[in-house]
Every structure is written in structure tokens, then in C-alpha cells.
Amino acid sequence: MHKNSWQNRRHGRRSNQQNPRFRQQGSDERGNSVTRQSSQDSGHVGDDEAPSTSSGTAGSTSVPDLPGYYFDPEKKRYFRLLPGHNNCNPLTKEGIRQKEMESKRLQLLEEEDKQKKVARMGFNASSLLQKSKLGFLNVTSYCRLAHELRVSCMQRKKVQIQSSDPSALASDRFNLILADTNSDRLFTVNDVKVGGSKYGVISLRGLKAPSLKVHMHENLYFTNRKVNSVCWASLNHLDSHILLCLMGIAETPGCATLLPASLFVSSHPAGDRPGMLCSFRIPGAWSCAWSLNIQANNCFSTGLSRRVLVTNVVTGHRQSFGTSSDVLAQQFALMAPLLFNGCRSGEIFAIDLRCRNQGKGWKATRLFHDSAVTSVQILQEEQNLMASDMAGTIKLWDLRTTKCIRQYEGHVNEYAYLPLHVHEGEGIVVAVGQDCYTRIWSFHDACLLRTIPSPHPTSKADIPSVAFSSRLGGFRGAPGLLMAVQQDLYCFSYT
């Protein structure tokens, strides 16, 4: 009885070994168990054993996916995924994803240096000129396509920043940059090494090829509070002040502060007198906007939690409008007495400034996104509005029909407060994603013209801040893109 049973088991094992499918499966399982054992013995994977990709295939042969393990196709073996970050040099899914992103970034940087690709087939200067001469392109279309071509050919160059304190430039990191109306100044918020933030103004008048040099004007103003929102303000004259919304901490309430731009230069230009420095106690302001509308002269708006405040700087008079959600983005219309607001709930609405605080019908327009709105931009004719949200959606809205007429694909956002830059004159839309890639679209047909990788390794703490202008450095400046990341400033200029 026992002998027959033993012979049957032996016969069955022999027949299974003759089956090639079973033999391959068995060898795989043995290999997996050996690799699993070696991974468990080591406890962690060293730098020399870190995989370079998370693909689950080695060539064309499929590899079974084992829970808690990762297959490296280059080393052809499994690695154990550790659940936390408390181990020495752990191999985690986040680490694998980070290494993939870094590999992709380096590859795109190589392609950026060659810069031979264009967004549209047959898109080059000679074909554009030939079509224009043959009458296939009118002047407007020719200028728009010429701008697109130049955007595709912009080359990255590092800008040399001069300052009275060079040691601070080497340690302080750029948080955000914001160009003024004439694009001859940049307001900067820098994170300092000891904690907190400081402000500065960079003069762009020296931003000329081949030597790209700018000067940083700093001030002693320093804050240990987070800067939620910034915009240029025109109180004494165009862009005479900077409006900042600061978050409250501990027993210190939040506030909106007007800083005179003249504080950041050693000598005041002719006709520019020192401006008024004032602060308004406003708790929990998420966003701010300055009004250039004559019907709301010397006024600014702040978006709070479930409330919008419109404040007159000179008289101190305030209008309050209750909302159903936090207001994360704002912009005043120039011709109509309207203030557009983007909310955490995804709603976009306009406030008619002629209505009283609690009057009926003050919501003039209502639009809806599926996620929290982070930026609203009113276009020149004030018949369209462009908005972006925390789901990475960018939409162009017709304010007359309240319908979305165009959508721009490719933007990446999950939860960050990211601005949107619209430049109708050049016909482009610019946005920096949470993946640290700067994307440029054609405004007219939503074609993705270019994707620019960050010059530094991708990090959620180092998302680049950008500013685009057709006249960088003032009236005689050249078109281009400025990018600030970590301690560096880069210029992507037209060639």
C-alpha cells in the first residue's frame, strides 16, 4: 500500500517534469523564493542594487506580480518593497516612482539641449514665410504661428543674480516670482534657511543677451508666516505697491499688507515718492486681487473662508459678501464692475460691486468645475474667462453662454495652489504642474506646444515659479520665459 502510493507520487512528479509549462513555472517559483529569501536576509536594498524602472516585464516575457515585491527587469530579480520610511535606505513604491521621474526628466533635458522638435508637423520658419507670401496666412495667423515657433525653440540660460548679500543668494530658495505690468521688475518671496520668508525686487533692465545679469534689491522685511497670495497694487501710480496675504499663526491674526515697491531700492526715481505702508487685519485670507476698475478705485479684495471682503485702502470702508466655500482665486474685471472668484467647492462666480453687502442678485455669473479652483483669468474683451483647478483641468469659458468652449489637456495637479498664465498677445497659455513640468499650450486650439522639465530634480517642495512676457526687461525687452527654482533663475528667451 505504501509502496504503491510512493510509486504514484514518483510517477506523477516525473510526468510533471516532462511538461515544459510546469517546468518553467516551477523554476520561476524557485527563483522567486530564492530572491525573496535573499531580500529578507538583507533587510534592505543598497544603492548599488536599486532598480531603475518599475516595469513588470523583462523584454517580452511577462513576469508574475507578487504582492509586496518589485521585479527589476535589468537585474532580473525581485526586490522586497518595504512598507515605511523608518528603515535604512528602504525600497518603496514612492522611491521607485521618484527614480522613474528623475530618469524621465534627465532624458527630456537632453532633448531640450538639442531642441529640434516642434509641436506641429511641417512647422518651420521657411514654410510659414512661404505660406504667408502665397496668401495662405493672414497677418494675424502668421504672427500667432511665428510666436508658437519661437516658443518651441526657446533655449534655457542661467541668469546671474547680483546682490549686496551674495551669501543669502546661495542659501535662500525661491518660493515665487511675480512680474509687474511692464515686466521690468520681479517681486520675489524667498524661503530663508533659518525659517520664514523674506521679500525682494529684481530689476530686469539688465536682462540682455549674451550676458544675462539682474540685480536683486532686498529689504529687512522678514516674516515667519506663510504667504498665501501676492499681487501688484497701483495706489500712487502703476504697480507702486505689493499686496500680500499672510496667514495667521498662534495668537497672531492673519493680515493683508501693502508694501511700497520703493522700499526695495536705495534711491527713489524721479517722481516716485515713498509710498504708504499699511496693514489690514484680515483673518484667514486665501487670495487677494487689486482693482484697476474706476468704479472700485483704490480697492482690493481678499478671499476668506466662506466670505469675500472688498476694502478701500484710503477710506477703510469694507463690503462683505458671504459665500458657501473658501475663495481661493480672485480677479477684478477692468471694464465691468465685477469681481470674479474661484472657490474650493469648484464654483466660479462674479460679484456685482454695485450691489450692497447683503443685497439680492449680487452673483452675476456662475460656472462650475469638478475640483477646487486655483486660478481665474479674465481675458481682454471680458467675454471669456480661463480657470484651472486642483484636478489639473484648464477650461476656457464663454461668459455670455456660461459654457466651456475649450479645454487644455496635460496639466498635472492633485492638491497644490498653482497659478495660470494667459498671454493673448502671443497666443499662449503657461502653467507649471505639480510634477514640476512647465507646459505651454496654444491659446487658440489648445495644442500642447512644449513641455519644459525642471533644471533641478523633481520635488513637491521645489515646484518652479515662472513669469512670461513679450517684453522681458521693459519696453525694449525681448519675449521669453523666466523660471525660478531653488536658488537659481533661468531665462528661456526667443532666438
Side-chain angles (χ1 to χ4, degrees):
M1 179 72 180
H2 294 287
K3 183 177 181 180
N4 292 337
S5 176
W6 177 81
Q7 288 178 349
N8 290 337
R9 288 197 299 270
R10 182 180 181 186
H11 176 73
R13 184 163 57 248
R14 186 184 301 116
S15 62
N16 286 335
Q17 290 175 352
Q18 292 174 358
N19 189 331
R21 181 178 177 182
F22 180 86
R23 186 167 59 249
Q24 181 180 359
Q25 181 180 357
S27 61
D28 284 346
E29 290 176 351
R30 287 193 300 274
N32 295 345
S33 62
V34 171
T35 307
R36 185 184 306 116
Q37 182 64 34
S38 63
S39 299
Q40 290 173 345
D41 291 342
S42 61
H44 66 272
V45 181
D47 291 335
D48 57 335
E49 293 185 25
S52 59
T53 174
S54 65
S55 171
T57 60
S60 58
T61 306
S62 61
V63 177
D65 187 15
L66 299 180
Y69 288 85
Y70 160 81
F71 184 81
D72 187 345
E74 292 183 358
K75 299 185 180 295
K76 297 182 179 179
R77 56 171 289 188
Y78 285 89
F79 292 87
R80 184 163 62 98
L81 289 174
L82 300 181
H85 298 274
N86 296 325
N87 300 278
C88 177
N89 190 24
L91 179 64
T92 63
K93 291 182 178 179
E94 183 65 24
I96 294 169
R97 183 172 177 270
Q98 190 70 24
K99 191 163 186 178
E100 280 183 339
M101 293 175 65
E102 179 62 11
S103 177
K104 178 184 176 182
R105 186 188 70 86
L106 294 175
Q107 182 180 355
L108 287 176
L109 278 178
E110 269 186 54
E111 296 175 0
E112 282 281 324
D113 294 336
K114 299 176 183 177
Q115 199 48 250
K116 297 297 182 183
K117 298 192 303 180
V118 292
R120 305 179 193 271
M121 295 297 293
F123 194 49
N124 54 61
S126 59
S127 66
L128 282 181
L129 186 60
Q130 186 177 6
K131 289 179 181 179
S132 177
K133 289 180 177 179
L134 294 174
F136 296 135
L137 290 175
N138 56 31
V139 176
T140 304
S141 299
Y142 175 77
C143 293
R144 175 172 62 84
L145 292 174
H147 273 298
E148 289 188 11
L149 181 61
R150 288 173 178 173
V151 164
S152 300
C153 299
M154 291 190 305
Q155 294 183 347
R156 182 185 72 256
K157 294 182 180 179
K158 191 172 181 179
V159 179
Q160 182 181 350
I161 305 175
Q162 299 173 336
S163 173
S164 57
D165 187 6
S167 61
L169 292 177
S171 60
D172 301 343
R173 302 158 69 92
F174 283 105
N175 189 344
L176 66 88
I177 59 174
L178 183 67
D180 64 358
T181 304
N182 295 325
S183 299
D184 58 1
R185 292 176 299 175
L186 281 181
F187 179 74
T188 68
V189 178
N190 296 71
D191 295 332
V192 298
K193 192 174 182 180
V194 294
S197 301
K198 71 175 185 179
Y199 315 127
V201 170
I202 294 179
S203 173
L204 299 178
R205 294 179 181 177
L207 193 67
K208 297 178 181 179
S211 61
L212 300 176
K213 295 181 180 180
V214 295
H215 189 81
M216 167 79 84
H217 299 279
E218 297 174 327
N219 202 279
L220 296 177
Y221 281 93
F222 173 86
T223 179
N224 58 353
R225 294 187 285 177
K226 180 183 178 182
V227 179
N228 277 349
S229 184
V230 178
C231 69
W232 285 90
S234 303
L235 186 58
N236 300 339
H237 52 79
L238 183 64
D239 298 334
S240 61
H241 289 68
I242 301 104
L243 177 64
L244 301 104
C245 284
L246 303 178
M247 179 179 287
I249 57 170
E251 297 180 357
T252 306
C255 66
T257 302
L258 270 175
L259 287 180
S262 56
L263 291 175
F264 296 91
V265 292
S266 55
S267 61
H268 304 299
D272 185 15
R273 65 183 187 277
M276 175 176 60
L277 189 154
C278 53
S279 182
F280 301 87
R281 181 173 176 176
I282 299 177
W286 294 104
S287 58
C288 64
W290 183 267
S291 172
L292 294 176
N293 192 304
I294 194 171
Q295 299 188 56
N297 195 28
N298 295 328
C299 289
F300 70 90
S301 174
T302 46
L304 286 70
S305 297
R306 302 179 180 273
R307 192 157 55 112
V308 172
L309 281 181
V310 179
T311 306
N312 189 301
V313 176
V314 178
T315 65
H317 178 261
R318 285 184 177 178
Q319 283 182 283
S320 177
F321 301 89
T323 66
S324 59
S325 180
D326 301 340
V327 179
L328 305 182
Q330 295 181 305
Q331 189 181 10
F332 283 92
L334 184 60
M335 297 181 287
L338 297 174
L339 169 63
F340 286 85
N341 304 269
C343 297
R344 191 183 299 277
S345 63
E347 180 186 10
I348 302 171
F349 64 89
I351 295 176
D352 190 334
L353 300 174
R354 296 167 295 186
C355 297
R356 294 185 178 181
N357 298 22
Q358 301 301 330
K360 295 181 179 180
W362 54 265
K363 282 192 177 182
T365 305
R366 298 185 72 185
L367 311 170
F368 295 93
H369 276 235
D370 295 330
S371 184
V373 176
T374 60
S375 183
V376 291
Q377 296 289 324
I378 307 168
L379 304 189
Q380 290 176 2
E381 298 298 327
E382 298 189 1
Q383 296 178 353
N384 301 100
L385 176 141
M386 189 170 288
S388 61
D389 60 32
M390 288 190 183
T393 303
I394 301 176
K395 290 183 177 182
L396 178 64
W397 293 90
D398 189 326
L399 295 176
R400 296 161 295 182
T401 62
T402 64
K403 291 183 179 179
C404 175
I405 57 177
R406 199 171 300 139
Q407 190 161 327
Y408 300 77
E409 304 292 342
H411 184 49
V412 176
N413 194 5
E414 295 176 355
Y415 56 81
Y417 183 86
L418 300 175
L420 182 66
H421 310 272
V422 184
H423 303 274
E424 289 184 83
E426 292 75 29
I428 62 170
V429 178
V430 184
V432 182
Q434 202 170 345
D435 57 354
C436 298
Y437 286 88
T438 303
R439 294 174 175 86
I440 305 176
W441 295 266
S442 167
F443 169 77
H444 299 276
D445 61 5
C447 175
L448 182 60
L449 302 176
R450 188 165 177 184
T451 302
I452 303 175
S454 172
H456 291 270
T458 301
S459 169
K460 293 178 181 178
D462 294 317
I463 299 177
S465 181
V466 300
F468 184 91
S469 175
S470 57
R471 294 172 179 173
L472 282 177
F475 181 73
R476 296 185 179 180
L481 176 79
L482 288 173
M483 176 186 293
V485 55
Q486 292 193 10
Q487 292 87 10
D488 299 325
L489 182 66
Y490 298 90
C491 181
F492 295 76
S493 58
Y494 281 16
T495 55

